[in-house]
Amino acid sequence: MAEAYIVAAARTAGGRRGGKLAGWHPADLAAQVIDALVAKSGIDPATVEDVILGCVSQVGEQATNVARNAVLASTLPESVPGTSVDRQCGSSQQALHFAAQAVMSGAMDAVIAGGVESMTRVPMFTPNALPAKAGLGTYMSPAMKRRYPGVEFSQFAGAEMIAKNYGIDKDALDRYALESHRRAMAATRAGAFDDEIVPIEILQADGSGTGEQHMVDEGIRFDATLEGIAGVKLIAEGGRCTAATASQICDGASGVLVVNERGLKTLGVKPLARIHHMSVMGHDPVIMLEAPLPATLRALKKAGMRIQDIDLYEVNEAFAPVPIAWLEALDADPARLNVNGGAIALGHPLGASGTKLMTTLVHALGRRGKRYGLQTMCEGGGMANVTIVERL
């Protein structure tokens, strides 16, 4: 079977809710990243054989196959198709897996995988809230209710369960959140994100340009202190998590261009990294966020590797208990985890986060001269994707 290579990776800087990316229609925002991938690689746009985009809230401006709409808003020709994927927070990581599988099979030679989420223009929970308000029911079927009687699936409850089960107190969560901001600040000031961020013009409410470019992740709190983080109100009475120790609502888009060996030769491009392993696993949907732990253990076993073989890890900071518990379960090195900060500081644009993390991981491996990187993230419904890449 052929190999799959990442030859270009790009993302927007994160935008706060109502912030610097709020003026962008999500299809147009994704198109900006698609065009950047074409420009970075220097390929003929017509050689892209498919565009696979992750998106969680596929309603409103993100409805009717946002991937195809992004293609039609980009410089790609109409002959390039597009399809949209929903594996919750792992949507664009799954898009990357589908793209890699396509080129490894030989069915295609060049595929763009990515994701987009405008959490300003399509607020979280909209796909559930609107039908419920209209009396059209919910996703919970009678069979699901019989299997999980009295259960209300909640990521907030799952985060609290993990914190309790792994003995992680609020102080540890607060300290982790501060470190996320500190690492993001250091990375920004050192220019670590410069090569991966696509400059996006800030638009006014009427859609006209301001002439100002958005290039710095808007969620980073450059004045963050432990006292300030510790003072944020608890999400649930008697709990341990706060908004300061959870990922930030974020607008953004990201993507990677994936090719096989034939694509490398035909397109004349050089690889940044090779896909070494990819897998996905289902786990307990009630605790929900714990899946990256067993999924990573299984992925390493399937890849014939140990955690010590991995130079850098990107574990999505949906809530601080997740990466902290992951470190404990894997006996992993905290110094290798989310070295440029994570979603607590940089934001979590849901369907775009998978290839956003991969973009940062590939660039961090190159910048630090490291070889292997691993990415995983918790996903609604109790799932987790795991991807291991080798920098070339």
Side-chain angles (χ1 to χ4, degrees), residues 325-343:
W326 185 91
L327 284 170
E328 178 182 331
L330 273 294
D331 192 23
D333 181 1
R336 305 184 190 186
L337 173 68
N338 299 351
V339 294
N340 292 328

Side-chain angles (χ1 to χ4, degrees), residues 32-367:
Q32 292 288 299
V33 171
I34 290 171
D35 289 345
L37 293 172
V38 171
K40 281 175 175 285
S41 61
I43 66 167
D44 177 352
T47 60
V48 176
E49 295 177 81
D50 202 0
V51 172
I52 308 171
L53 293 187
C55 184
V56 173
S57 297
Q58 296 186 33
V59 67
E61 293 185 0
Q62 294 174 168
T64 319
N65 192 3
V66 68
R68 175 58 174 168
N69 298 336
V71 169
L72 299 179
S74 75
T75 59
L76 297 179
E78 292 178 346
S79 58
V80 179
T83 191
S84 305
V85 176
D86 176 7
R87 202 189 283 280
Q88 295 294 280
C89 297
S91 295
S92 56
Q93 188 173 2
Q94 184 59 55
L96 169 58
H97 287 197
F98 284 152
Q101 290 162 359
V103 302
M104 289 169 71
S105 72
M108 298 180 183
D109 295 334
V111 178
I112 287 176
V116 64
E117 203 85 35
S118 176
M119 299 180 74
T120 295
R121 299 168 78 110
V122 187
M124 190 162 52
F125 307 127
T126 298
N128 294 334
L130 285 181
K133 187 176 181 180
L136 299 176
T138 73
Y139 73 95
M140 284 286 288
S141 73
M144 287 177 68
K145 291 178 181 178
R146 287 194 296 269
R147 185 170 182 177
Y148 300 97
V151 172
E152 182 178 347
F153 295 111
S154 165
Q155 294 193 30
F156 302 103
E160 293 289 355
M161 290 180 198
I162 292 176
K164 181 179 179 181
N165 292 350
Y166 286 85
I168 307 167
D169 61 23
K170 182 178 180 299
D171 289 344
L173 300 178
D174 292 341
R175 290 193 300 271
Y176 183 92
L178 178 61
E179 183 63 16
S180 182
H181 283 283
R182 284 178 171 170
R183 291 186 179 192
M185 282 186 268
T188 300
R189 288 169 174 157
F193 296 136
D194 291 355
D195 290 340
E196 65 189 65
I197 288 179
V198 179
I200 302 292
E201 185 176 14
I202 299 170
L203 302 182
Q204 298 181 18
D206 63 2
S208 61
T210 63
E212 182 184 352
Q213 300 290 313
H214 177 45
M215 294 188 65
V216 176
D217 293 286
E218 204 174 359
I220 304 171
R221 298 189 184 279
F222 288 89
D223 59 350
T225 64
L226 186 58
E227 293 74 22
I229 290 171
V232 176
K233 182 181 178 181
L234 292 169
I235 294 174
E237 186 176 349
R240 309 179 190 193
C241 297
T242 70
T245 58
S247 56
Q248 292 189 39
I249 290 174
C250 182
D251 301 336
S254 63
V256 296
L257 174 58
V258 183
V259 307
N260 53 24
E261 291 100 332
R262 190 167 56 213
L264 291 176
K265 294 176 183 178
T266 303
L267 303 175
V269 290
K270 294 183 178 180
L272 299 174
R274 179 183 66 87
I275 305 295
H276 185 71
H277 169 86
M278 52 187 175
S279 58
V280 64
M281 181 179 181
H283 192 247
D284 182 354
V286 179
I287 194 168
M288 192 177 297
L289 310 181
E290 194 178 28
L293 284 59
T296 302
L297 289 167
R298 191 184 72 169
L300 290 169
K301 184 177 181 180
K302 288 170 71 73
M305 303 180 76
R306 304 170 303 152
I307 193 63
Q308 293 80 8
D309 299 323
I310 307 297
D311 297 299
L312 298 176
Y313 343 116
E314 284 286 334
V315 180
N316 194 39
E317 295 173 356
F319 295 87
V322 177
I324 296 174
W326 185 91
L327 284 170
E328 178 182 331
L330 273 294
D331 192 23
D333 181 1
R336 305 184 190 186
L337 173 68
N338 299 351
V339 294
N340 292 328
I344 288 172
L346 299 170
H348 177 19
L350 300 183
S353 285
T355 44
K356 175 182 180 290
L357 266 61
M358 181 54 68
T359 293
T360 296
L361 178 59
V362 167
H363 283 88
L365 288 169
R367 187 176 176 87

